[in-house]
mmCIF file of all heavy atoms in Angstrom:
data_model
loop_
_atom_site.group_PDB
_atom_site.id
_atom_site.type_symbol
_atom_site.label_atom_id
_atom_site.label_comp_id
_atom_site.label_asym_id
_atom_site.label_seq_id
_atom_site.Cartn_x
_atom_site.Cartn_y
_atom_site.Cartn_z
ATOM 1 N N THR J 22 -10.626 10.229 -4.449
ATOM 2 C CA THR J 22 -10.809 10.468 -5.884
ATOM 3 C C THR J 22 -9.576 10.121 -6.773
ATOM 4 O O THR J 22 -9.778 9.518 -7.805
ATOM 5 C CB THR J 22 -11.196 11.942 -6.141
ATOM 6 O OG1 THR J 22 -10.223 12.849 -5.675
ATOM 7 C CG2 THR J 22 -12.582 12.300 -5.427
ATOM 8 N N GLU J 23 -8.436 10.432 -6.309
ATOM 9 C CA GLU J 23 -7.212 10.187 -7.104
ATOM 10 C C GLU J 23 -6.635 8.796 -6.961
ATOM 11 O O GLU J 23 -6.381 8.104 -7.919
ATOM 12 C CB GLU J 23 -6.130 11.270 -6.817
ATOM 13 C CG GLU J 23 -6.568 12.679 -7.151
ATOM 14 C CD GLU J 23 -5.575 13.692 -6.849
ATOM 15 O OE1 GLU J 23 -4.436 13.354 -6.424
ATOM 16 O OE2 GLU J 23 -5.990 14.882 -6.827
ATOM 17 N N ALA J 24 -6.551 8.313 -5.744
ATOM 18 C CA ALA J 24 -5.864 7.006 -5.527
ATOM 19 C C ALA J 24 -6.865 5.890 -5.811
ATOM 20 O O ALA J 24 -6.546 4.832 -6.360
ATOM 21 C CB ALA J 24 -5.294 6.907 -4.134
ATOM 22 N N LEU J 25 -8.153 6.050 -5.403
ATOM 23 C CA LEU J 25 -9.095 4.974 -5.479
ATOM 24 C C LEU J 25 -10.086 5.136 -6.675
ATOM 25 O O LEU J 25 -10.752 4.257 -6.984
ATOM 26 C CB LEU J 25 -9.981 4.813 -4.197
ATOM 27 C CG LEU J 25 -9.206 4.443 -2.880
ATOM 28 C CD1 LEU J 25 -10.112 4.139 -1.816
ATOM 29 C CD2 LEU J 25 -8.177 3.319 -3.141
ATOM 30 N N GLY J 26 -10.031 6.332 -7.281
ATOM 31 C CA GLY J 26 -10.932 6.522 -8.394
ATOM 32 C C GLY J 26 -12.459 6.859 -8.150
ATOM 33 O O GLY J 26 -13.202 6.716 -9.005
ATOM 34 N N PHE J 27 -12.691 7.174 -6.833
ATOM 35 C CA PHE J 27 -14.097 7.510 -6.551
ATOM 36 C C PHE J 27 -14.442 8.869 -7.118
ATOM 37 O O PHE J 27 -13.582 9.681 -7.551
ATOM 38 C CB PHE J 27 -14.228 7.610 -4.984
ATOM 39 C CG PHE J 27 -14.245 6.381 -4.282
ATOM 40 C CD1 PHE J 27 -13.641 5.237 -4.734
ATOM 41 C CD2 PHE J 27 -14.825 6.308 -3.017
ATOM 42 C CE1 PHE J 27 -13.665 4.006 -3.974
ATOM 43 C CE2 PHE J 27 -14.886 5.153 -2.286
ATOM 44 C CZ PHE J 27 -14.309 4.021 -2.793
ATOM 45 N N ALA J 28 -15.685 9.173 -7.195
ATOM 46 C CA ALA J 28 -16.139 10.505 -7.711
ATOM 47 C C ALA J 28 -16.591 11.292 -6.443
ATOM 48 O O ALA J 28 -17.275 10.836 -5.586
ATOM 49 C CB ALA J 28 -17.340 10.352 -8.670
ATOM 50 N N LEU J 29 -16.287 12.542 -6.483
ATOM 51 C CA LEU J 29 -16.745 13.441 -5.535
ATOM 52 C C LEU J 29 -18.248 13.882 -5.889
ATOM 53 O O LEU J 29 -18.462 14.510 -6.958
ATOM 54 C CB LEU J 29 -15.905 14.748 -5.455
ATOM 55 C CG LEU J 29 -16.300 15.803 -4.498
ATOM 56 C CD1 LEU J 29 -16.312 15.357 -3.026
ATOM 57 C CD2 LEU J 29 -15.432 17.063 -4.695
ATOM 58 N N VAL J 30 -19.181 13.568 -5.116
ATOM 59 C CA VAL J 30 -20.575 13.680 -5.397
ATOM 60 C C VAL J 30 -21.081 14.984 -4.741
ATOM 61 O O VAL J 30 -21.911 15.715 -5.360
ATOM 62 C CB VAL J 30 -21.454 12.465 -4.816
ATOM 63 C CG1 VAL J 30 -22.832 12.750 -5.106
ATOM 64 C CG2 VAL J 30 -20.906 11.201 -5.501
ATOM 65 N N GLU J 31 -20.699 15.299 -3.526
ATOM 66 C CA GLU J 31 -21.087 16.506 -2.891
ATOM 67 C C GLU J 31 -19.932 17.082 -2.094
ATOM 68 O O GLU J 31 -19.151 16.327 -1.504
ATOM 69 C CB GLU J 31 -22.290 16.247 -1.873
ATOM 70 C CG GLU J 31 -23.510 15.769 -2.519
ATOM 71 C CD GLU J 31 -24.692 15.508 -1.501
ATOM 72 O OE1 GLU J 31 -25.130 16.497 -0.928
ATOM 73 O OE2 GLU J 31 -24.920 14.288 -1.314
ATOM 74 N N ASP J 32 -19.858 18.399 -2.014
ATOM 75 C CA ASP J 32 -18.895 19.062 -1.074
ATOM 76 C C ASP J 32 -19.561 20.455 -0.773
ATOM 77 O O ASP J 32 -19.343 21.390 -1.461
ATOM 78 C CB ASP J 32 -17.614 19.212 -1.741
ATOM 79 C CG ASP J 32 -16.528 19.773 -0.775
ATOM 80 O OD1 ASP J 32 -16.833 20.189 0.298
ATOM 81 O OD2 ASP J 32 -15.359 19.899 -1.224
ATOM 82 N N GLU J 33 -20.395 20.497 0.270
ATOM 83 C CA GLU J 33 -21.125 21.685 0.595
ATOM 84 C C GLU J 33 -20.679 22.139 1.988
ATOM 85 O O GLU J 33 -20.639 21.395 2.916
ATOM 86 C CB GLU J 33 -22.588 21.386 0.628
ATOM 87 C CG GLU J 33 -23.079 20.935 -0.756
ATOM 88 C CD GLU J 33 -23.046 22.059 -1.715
ATOM 89 O OE1 GLU J 33 -23.178 23.265 -1.367
ATOM 90 O OE2 GLU J 33 -22.820 21.742 -2.931
ATOM 91 N N PRO J 34 -20.443 23.458 2.200
ATOM 92 C CA PRO J 34 -20.178 23.951 3.506
ATOM 93 C C PRO J 34 -21.442 23.873 4.328
ATOM 94 O O PRO J 34 -22.542 24.080 3.850
ATOM 95 C CB PRO J 34 -19.745 25.484 3.274
ATOM 96 C CG PRO J 34 -20.280 25.766 1.923
ATOM 97 C CD PRO J 34 -20.380 24.517 1.136
ATOM 98 N N ARG J 35 -21.151 23.769 5.675
ATOM 99 C CA ARG J 35 -22.266 23.731 6.662
ATOM 100 C C ARG J 35 -22.051 24.926 7.546
ATOM 101 O O ARG J 35 -21.030 25.556 7.704
ATOM 102 C CB ARG J 35 -22.170 22.484 7.551
ATOM 103 C CG ARG J 35 -22.042 21.115 6.735
ATOM 104 C CD ARG J 35 -23.345 20.742 6.169
ATOM 105 N NE ARG J 35 -24.250 20.492 7.303
ATOM 106 C CZ ARG J 35 -25.278 19.717 7.242
ATOM 107 N NH1 ARG J 35 -25.496 19.081 6.166
ATOM 108 N NH2 ARG J 35 -26.103 19.570 8.280
ATOM 109 N N PRO J 36 -23.215 25.438 8.236
ATOM 110 C CA PRO J 36 -23.109 26.659 8.999
ATOM 111 C C PRO J 36 -22.120 26.570 10.146
ATOM 112 O O PRO J 36 -21.576 27.572 10.545
ATOM 113 C CB PRO J 36 -24.630 26.761 9.517
ATOM 114 C CG PRO J 36 -25.383 26.085 8.578
ATOM 115 C CD PRO J 36 -24.536 24.927 8.005
ATOM 116 N N ASP J 37 -21.843 25.377 10.597
ATOM 117 C CA ASP J 37 -20.924 25.189 11.810
ATOM 118 C C ASP J 37 -19.436 25.185 11.468
ATOM 119 O O ASP J 37 -18.638 24.986 12.223
ATOM 120 C CB ASP J 37 -21.317 23.972 12.596
ATOM 121 C CG ASP J 37 -21.092 22.680 11.845
ATOM 122 O OD1 ASP J 37 -20.749 22.708 10.662
ATOM 123 O OD2 ASP J 37 -21.347 21.581 12.486
ATOM 124 N N GLY J 38 -19.127 25.364 10.117
ATOM 125 C CA GLY J 38 -17.799 25.322 9.661
ATOM 126 C C GLY J 38 -17.338 24.004 9.059
ATOM 127 O O GLY J 38 -16.284 23.870 8.587
ATOM 128 N N SER J 39 -18.182 23.021 9.275
ATOM 129 C CA SER J 39 -17.863 21.776 8.635
ATOM 130 C C SER J 39 -18.258 21.702 7.243
ATOM 131 O O SER J 39 -18.840 22.696 6.760
ATOM 132 C CB SER J 39 -18.557 20.589 9.493
ATOM 133 O OG SER J 39 -19.962 20.657 9.427
#
Side-chain angles (χ1 to χ4, degrees):
T22 60
E23 295 175 13
L25 298 190
F27 285 27
L29 178 61
V30 178
E31 294 180 72
D32 186 357
E33 297 295 327
R35 307 286 297 206
D37 65 358
S39 67

